[in-house]
């Protein structure tokens, strides 16, 4: 298993972020509204937000051997659910199925429960993304809800699975 490093995003990550986020296979796994194509403008906006770390939003770049390979973030939900954080994560396709993200997510969940005002973390997963559901289950998340036909991705309606872990 390759050793990962979680670090803060840098403005110099823009070009690599654009390259990685324009992989349609990565985009297909994302449940959020990330655009495709992902432009320099979106990269700059995201990195600018990520470098202004607050208790409401905490984001890390994932790297191996000082090469950017992915990202992970925690976003505080709005009141009255402000003790709940949403977890987002993605990884460069060439690093899939190598066990890296298991360790990354264990690290980020530990970080959240120690450093953020959080009692619950949720992950939203596309219903067809069985690998992400398995990954979250592997580190202790449990399925809480399934919202049927909630996401339109690639012209197809998919369920949105809500998984969670409590402190």
């Amino acid at each position: 298993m390759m050793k990962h490093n979680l670090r803060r995003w840098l403005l110099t990550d823009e070009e690599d972020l654009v390259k990685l986020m324009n992989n349609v296979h990565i985009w297909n796994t994302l449940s959020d509204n990330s655009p495709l194509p992902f432009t320099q403008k979106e990269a700059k906006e995201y990195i600018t937000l990520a470098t202004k770390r607050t208790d409401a939003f905490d984001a890390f770049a994932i790297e191996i051997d000082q090469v950017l390979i992915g990202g992970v973030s925690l976003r505080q939900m709005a009141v009255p659910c402000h003790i709940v954080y949403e977890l987002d994560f993605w990884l460069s396709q060439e690093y899939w199925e190598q066990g890296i993200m298991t360790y990354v997510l264990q690290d980020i969940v530990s970080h959240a429960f120690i450093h953020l005002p959080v009692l619950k973390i949720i992950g939203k997963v596309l219903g067809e993304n069985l690998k992400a559901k398995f990954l979250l289950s592997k580190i202790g998340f449990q399925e809480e809800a399934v919202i049927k036909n909630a996401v339109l991705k690639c012209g197809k309606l998919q369920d949105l699975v809500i998984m969670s872990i409590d402190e």
Side-chain angles (χ1 to χ4, degrees):
M1 213 304 285
M2 292 182 249
K3 180 65 179 137
H4 72 277
N5 180 44
L6 291 179
R7 65 161 172 81
R8 297 296 176 183
W9 285 95
L10 306 170
L11 295 177
T12 55
D13 290 327
E14 281 182 31
E15 188 175 312
D16 291 334
L17 181 58
V18 169
K19 180 182 172 193
L20 291 168
M21 291 301 289
N22 277 306
N23 180 317
V24 69
H25 301 291
I26 292 172
W27 182 80
N28 282 335
T29 67
L30 302 176
S31 62
D32 67 5
N33 60 356
S34 294
L36 189 67
F38 191 87
T39 66
Q40 201 77 28
K41 178 181 181 249
E42 280 98 18
K44 184 174 187 151
E45 288 172 359
Y46 179 81
I47 292 172
T48 299
L49 174 65
T51 57
K52 295 178 182 172
R53 186 220 167 286
T54 66
D55 280 352
F57 182 72
D58 202 2
F60 295 88
I62 306 165
E63 63 179 13
I64 289 183
D65 296 329
Q66 299 180 332
V67 174
L68 179 66
I69 64 162
V72 61
S73 66
L74 294 154
R75 184 181 310 270
Q76 187 176 37
M77 295 184 69
V79 172
C81 299
H82 60 281
I83 59 168
V84 178
Y85 278 67
E86 183 177 343
L87 172 70
D88 289 309
F89 57 94
W90 60 274
L91 191 65
S92 174
Q93 186 180 2
E94 67 185 276
Y95 293 93
W96 290 0
E97 298 186 29
Q98 296 182 32
I100 296 165
M101 195 54 87
T102 300
Y103 295 104
V104 166
L105 294 183
Q106 287 171 335
D107 288 351
I108 200 73
V109 167
S110 293
H111 165 81
F113 286 134
I114 292 168
H115 298 288
L116 297 172
V118 59
L119 295 179
K120 179 185 285 277
I121 299 171
I122 65 167
K124 296 177 183 175
V125 178
L126 295 176
E128 294 180 4
N129 192 344
L130 301 178
K131 291 178 183 177
K133 289 179 4 184
F134 175 77
L135 173 63
L136 289 174
S137 295
K138 188 175 175 179
I139 64 162
F141 279 69
Q142 296 182 350
E143 188 173 302
E144 278 206 18
V146 177
I147 305 171
K148 298 287 186 190
N149 298 319
V151 178
L152 182 61
K153 195 77 170 191
C154 301
K156 181 180 178 185
L157 283 174
Q158 290 193 48
D159 296 346
L160 185 65
V161 179
I162 311 294
M163 300 185 71
S164 71
I165 189 169
D166 296 322
E167 183 175 32

